[in-house]
Amino acid sequence: MMTKGLFLDRDGVVNIEKNYLYKIEEFEFFDGIFDSLKKIQKLGYKIFIITNQSGIGRGYYSVEDFEKLTSWMIKEFKNNEIVISQVEFCPHGPNDNCTCRKPKTGMIDKILEKHQIDLENSWLVGDKSSDIKCAKNAGISNTIQVKSGHDFDENESEAKYICETIKDISEIIQT
Ligand SMILES: [Mg+2]
C-alpha cells in the first residue's frame, strides 16, 4: 500500500542550525516540533530525514559520530511518540560528484527502495533552496521552506509555502 511521506531536512529544520553539528549536547530540537509532527503522523504520513553531512567528507567528524547522534535523535523522537521511518545522509562535499547530495535525489531514491511512497501527496520541508530543488527533482511538488535555518530571499523561493519553523507546518499540512 502507498503511504504519504513527510521528508524533512535536519539542520535548520529539526534542530537549530550550528555549523557541522555532531555532538549530542549541542543538538537542540526546535520548540513545538513534537506536537507538530504528531499531528501530521496522525494523518498517516511516514516521516523521513534526509540530510547533507559534508562535515564527514571534510573530516570534521566521522560516520560513527553522525550515527551516534542519529540514534540518540531517533530515541528522543520515539520518547515523544514519533516514529522516524528512515534517516539518509550524504557524507560528500560539493565537489565529490556524488548522486546523493541535495539537490540530487539519491537519498530519496534510497528511501523509495524500502517504502512505497505516494510522492504526489508527499511533502518536503527544508531551509535551503537546494532542499526545495531536491523535492522538485524527485517529483515532490508540495514543499515548505522554513525561515529557521539559513537566510533566504522569500521572493526567490521556489517553495509552495514559507513559514517560520517546523512548529507551523501542521497548519499547512492538514490532509
Ligand atoms: Mg538545512
Side-chain angles (χ1 to χ4, degrees):
M1 210 194 98
M2 298 274 265
T3 325
K4 297 176 284 188
L6 174 66
F7 295 86
L8 302 174
D9 171 44
R10 198 193 76 181
D11 300 311
V13 174
V14 169
N15 56 280
I16 295 170
E17 163 71 44
K18 294 174 185 176
N19 275 335
Y20 304 114
L21 171 69
Y22 69 95
K23 291 180 181 162
I24 291 170
E25 59 270 28
E26 290 177 3
F27 190 101
E28 289 181 65
F29 285 101
F30 279 108
D31 286 341
I33 182 173
F34 300 121
D35 283 341
S36 180
L37 292 183
K38 233 181 274 177
K39 284 182 196 157
I40 296 170
Q41 190 172 250
K42 269 195 193 140
L43 297 173
Y45 287 85
K46 275 190 178 171
I47 304 172
F48 305 105
I49 295 176
I50 52 173
T51 175
N52 285 352
Q53 293 292 325
S54 71
I56 297 171
R58 295 175 209 264
Y60 299 157
Y61 50 92
S62 65
V63 172
E64 290 70 31
D65 292 327
F66 172 80
E67 283 176 344
K68 208 169 141 192
L69 175 59
T70 300
S71 305
W72 173 85
M73 176 186 74
I74 289 174
K75 214 159 116 195
E76 290 294 305
F77 274 118
K78 208 175 157 196
N79 290 342
N80 287 280
E81 296 162 58
I82 291 155
V83 177
I84 303 298
S85 293
Q86 198 168 328
V87 176
E88 286 297 330
F89 69 101
C90 165
H92 308 107
N95 303 319
D96 286 342
N97 226 344
C98 66
T99 57
C100 45
R101 185 174 164 82
K102 291 176 280 187
K104 290 182 181 166
T105 62
M107 291 188 278
I108 293 179
D109 297 340
K110 264 195 173 168
I111 289 167
L112 296 179
E113 284 172 17
K114 291 190 196 159
H115 303 268
Q116 281 193 292
I117 301 300
D118 170 11
L119 291 180
E120 213 169 298
N121 291 303
S122 292
W123 288 79
L124 184 143
V125 184
D127 65 312
K128 283 185 173 178
S129 63
S130 54
D131 295 313
I132 306 306
K133 287 196 172 82
C134 171
K136 297 223 156 136
N137 290 338
I140 299 170
S141 59
N142 296 316
T143 51
I144 302 172
Q145 194 163 3
V146 287
K147 301 204 282 195
S148 50
H150 285 271
D151 284 336
F152 65 92
D153 182 343
E154 288 184 48
N155 296 316
E156 305 261 292
S157 174
E158 294 178 64
K160 202 167 186 176
Y161 296 92
I162 293 171
C163 68
E164 294 296 327
T165 77
I166 195 161
K167 185 181 180 204
D168 311 315
I169 69 168
S170 57
E171 277 157 40
I172 300 170
I173 306 173
Q174 293 198 326
T175 54

